[in-house]
Amino acid sequence: MADYRTIKAEPLTNAIRAIVKAGGSSDREADLVATNLVEANLKGHDSHGVGMIPRYVQSVTTGGLAVNQHVKIVLDTGPLLTLDGLTGYGQVIGHEAMELAAERAKRNGVCLVGLSNSHHIGRIGHWAEQCIDHGLVSIHFVNVISRPIVAPWGGSDARHGTNPFCVGIPRRGKHPIVLDFATSRIAQGKTRVAHNKGVELEPGTIIDNEGKPTVHPRYTVIPPYGAILPFGEHKGSGLALVCEILGGALSGGQVVKGPSDGKYNVLNGMLSIVIDPDKLGTGENLAREVESFVAWHTGSSPGPGVDKVKIAGEPERETKKKRLAEGIPVDPTTWQDILEAGKKFGLDQTAIEKIAS
């Protein structure tokens, strides 16, 4: 970690906020983007953190990401909501979409939300946590319109994105359950992080441009491209297929139909089911039974090399506590890329360094 710089959350947020604002975003948009990205870093998901800023900046400068957009309501029947993200910052579009969904779920008991055409929507657990703050259960299926990066099970080249799946379940007076994972072996951003660090990936994670196993992350970052493998063999690949169709097609958006169209952007579609347990008449039952099962689940004796059995979301909370205290590690390549991105928006390196320090 000697080559890393460690930056506290607040100054890092301020630096990212300044870069986004320099690109023409309003104060609110810059704040939503910066806090979302830094929160991903705090929770240990550096793949969805501040390292995304260079890609966002390039998307803005090439027209693939539109600043200061707001979610457009295409259809609203109360329990059914169809939304268009208008290629706006996903941190804004996602936030607005979940606020609309939460209001309708609390009124009607449930809201089924189809969101299409949002620029990179980031860590999906963020949106489950937003629903949890309203006391709501949520389920999310997401697809990715960009350069295909994941091979189907049994395939030899990339055919779709990392297609995340997420579920959020609130608990009364206790930390919630947040299940959030890519349907690929690892998130694409994690291969970028590994490439920037100069480290190899675990065997069985990716294949090269000839469909052969490799441990070199460059095959997902620079041409010639290979592909990430699905998690769980045919099971993860099947879930990715479902996420593509539900998140991309049923949401009212697109599915991957071939190679990238050359635009420098990442578009997400997301189908979300948001449920109010109290309106369902099962709120008390849920609260009681969740605690019963969590106690039983975590009561298993830890296996070799494991300190304790955890619930989904617990590792992220532990990492956040540590990084709030110690700071967020940023590798030198990623930091230099962030500085270069700021320069494209007219901020010189010294200005960003001063804010971050």
Side-chain angles (χ1 to χ4, degrees):
M1 297 285 284
D3 292 330
Y4 280 61
R5 61 182 301 156
T6 303
I7 309 174
K8 288 284 191 176
E10 186 175 355
L12 182 58
T13 303
N14 291 339
I16 299 303
R17 185 188 290 114
I19 293 172
V20 176
K21 189 174 178 183
S25 291
S26 66
D27 288 343
R28 175 181 177 273
E29 179 161 280
D31 188 61
L32 283 172
V33 174
T35 54
N36 177 289
L37 294 178
V38 172
E39 181 71 8
N41 286 111
L42 284 171
K43 291 192 168 169
H45 294 283
D46 296 329
S47 58
H48 290 66
V50 297
M52 289 301 301
I53 278 295
R55 186 156 193 176
Y56 290 178
V57 169
Q58 187 150 3
S59 293
V60 170
T61 56
T62 56
L65 166 55
V67 302
N68 297 321
Q69 294 297 314
H70 298 283
V71 74
K72 176 185 177 183
I73 297 175
V74 178
L75 173 83
D76 182 6
T77 70
L80 298 171
L81 196 57
T82 307
L83 306 172
D84 188 331
L86 304 174
T87 72
Y89 270 110
Q91 289 76 10
V92 174
I93 301 303
H95 176 81
E96 293 178 351
M98 290 304 100
E99 285 302 297
L100 289 169
E103 190 278 327
R104 284 150 182 78
K106 286 187 280 190
R107 188 197 325 153
N108 302 296
V110 65
C111 186
L112 179 68
V113 192
L115 171 64
S116 65
N117 211 29
S118 170
H119 196 266
H120 185 246
I121 209 164
R123 184 179 67 91
I124 309 306
H126 193 95
W127 312 123
E129 289 160 0
Q130 187 176 339
C131 293
I132 284 166
D133 288 342
H134 287 284
L136 305 171
V137 172
S138 64
I139 306 165
H140 310 264
F141 302 88
V142 184
N143 87 319
V144 186
I145 300 293
S146 186
R147 173 174 61 84
I149 192 62
V150 183
W153 175 243
S156 60
D157 62 355
R159 294 283 158 158
H160 56 78
T162 52
N163 293 15
F165 173 74
C166 178
V167 178
I169 304 171
R171 295 168 67 200
R172 292 183 182 176
K174 295 188 178 181
H175 292 302
I177 296 167
V178 182
L179 176 71
D180 176 21
F181 57 81
T183 50
S184 51
R185 281 291 301 268
I186 58 174
Q188 181 181 0
K190 284 184 168 62
T191 68
R192 184 195 72 244
V193 171
H195 179 67
N196 287 349
K197 289 181 180 178
V199 299
E200 294 182 345
L201 298 169
E202 289 290 321
T205 302
I206 65 171
I207 52 178
D208 66 17
N209 59 304
E210 296 179 347
K212 298 174 181 176
T214 182
V215 294
H216 301 297
R218 50 94 52 228
Y219 285 103
T220 63
V221 181
I222 55 176
Y225 295 117
I228 307 172
L229 294 172
F231 93 92
E233 301 177 341
H234 61 284
K235 296 178 183 179
S237 192
L239 184 55
L241 175 71
V242 167
C243 286
E244 185 71 37
I245 294 167
L246 297 185
L250 188 58
S251 70
Q254 313 168 58
V255 296
V256 175
K257 300 180 182 73
S260 171
D261 61 7
K263 288 184 179 178
Y264 202 88
N265 64 1
V266 180
L267 295 180
N268 288 128
M270 180 166 71
L271 186 80
S272 301
I273 305 165
V274 185
I275 303 163
D276 185 337
D278 292 329
K279 285 281 195 201
L280 190 61
T282 61
E284 292 299 327
N285 188 71
L286 175 68
R288 181 180 64 252
E289 294 297 315
V290 162
E291 297 316 312
S292 177
F293 185 73
V294 166
W296 171 248
H297 175 85
T298 57
S300 179
S301 298
V306 177
D307 58 344
K308 65 173 181 175
V309 176
K310 301 177 182 181
I311 62 169
E314 195 169 349
E316 286 84 354
R317 288 189 289 273
E318 291 172 352
T319 302
K320 181 175 180 177
K321 182 178 179 181
K322 185 174 188 290
R323 289 188 169 186
L324 278 174
E326 300 175 3
I328 296 166
V330 183
D331 69 84
T333 302
T334 297
W335 184 246
Q336 188 57 44
D337 288 346
I338 290 170
L339 294 176
E340 291 295 328
K343 192 184 296 183
K344 289 179 182 176
F345 279 170
L347 288 179
D348 64 46
Q349 180 171 328
T350 308
I352 300 170
E353 291 279 12
K354 185 177 180 181
I355 295 168
S357 63

